[in-house]
Amino acid sequence: MVKVNREDDFKKNAIFHGPRFDVYAEDDQGIIYDFEMQNEDQHDLAERISIYQGNLSRQALYAGQPFKKRKRTVVFFICDHDPYGLGWPSYALKVELVGCPNFSVDNKETNVIVNLKTDVSQLTQAQREMVVYFNDGTVSGAFSQKLAAAVAAVKADAIRGGIYMTIEEYAALKSAYAQESERIKTITGLAALDMSRAQIIEFLKTNMDLSEEEAQAAYDNAMAAHA
């Protein structure tokens, strides 16, 4: 790679989740890459990829250059879920001519989704190391050693020091998100049974060990999200 930049050079408030990190890079062929980690399935992956491609496209052609000089831009989304449920290790998205599914239109945008929940027994050694490493941080060979070294460099960066997140912290955060999701389901379910706000808040205080303020906030947030 000719140039590699941490994501905060291009986007504010990015956070590295343990070994999961966002990277912008350009190789010696002029190809521009963006690597993104997607921790939760928000069912909007295609839209997200489109936005990231749009950001890269702004740097793919200099003013005055002919459009044929547009640099190729590549977006990788590394997902800890299988977005399409087919079990494939990766998915490549492409533009097709309507009515001619076998006719690909090359607009110099490449989009690849990596599925970290795939069956690793079907992967190459390097692919297997990458999937294992991004799932739990285990270094199992030369390739994952390079990944670990890159992460160590990020962790050592003084600028990143305040917002670096370890694997353990990431796991705790993910658990908190899961608990919040279940809480929302409980609250909206009780509301569907025609329980009043006061009754649901009392339920939360009694059964989920929340304070009055926490229960009120949980109720209001759940109802707003469900609106």
Side-chain angles (χ1 to χ4, degrees), residues 76-95:
F76 281 92
F77 260 79
I78 303 173
C79 299
D80 66 354
H81 57 276
D82 186 343
Y84 300 115
L86 298 177
W88 296 0
S90 63
Y91 300 96
L93 310 184
K94 66 179 182 179
V95 178

Side-chain angles (χ1 to χ4, degrees), residues 79-126:
C79 299
D80 66 354
H81 57 276
D82 186 343
Y84 300 115
L86 298 177
W88 296 0
S90 63
Y91 300 96
L93 310 184
K94 66 179 182 179
V95 178
E96 293 181 349
L97 191 64
V98 175
C100 301
N102 295 322
F103 191 100
S104 296
V105 178
D106 185 10
N107 59 358
K108 292 192 175 180
E109 293 184 1
T110 300
N111 301 299
V112 178
I113 301 168
V114 178
N115 171 22
L116 294 182
K117 299 308 180 187
T118 190
D119 180 3
V120 297
S121 66
Q122 305 299 317
L123 305 181
T124 66
Q125 176 63 27

Side-chain angles (χ1 to χ4, degrees), residues 9-23:
D9 291 336
F10 300 92
K11 182 175 64 178
K12 294 180 180 179
N13 300 322
I15 299 179
F16 289 164
H17 297 298
R20 299 164 167 84
F21 52 91
D22 296 351
V23 173

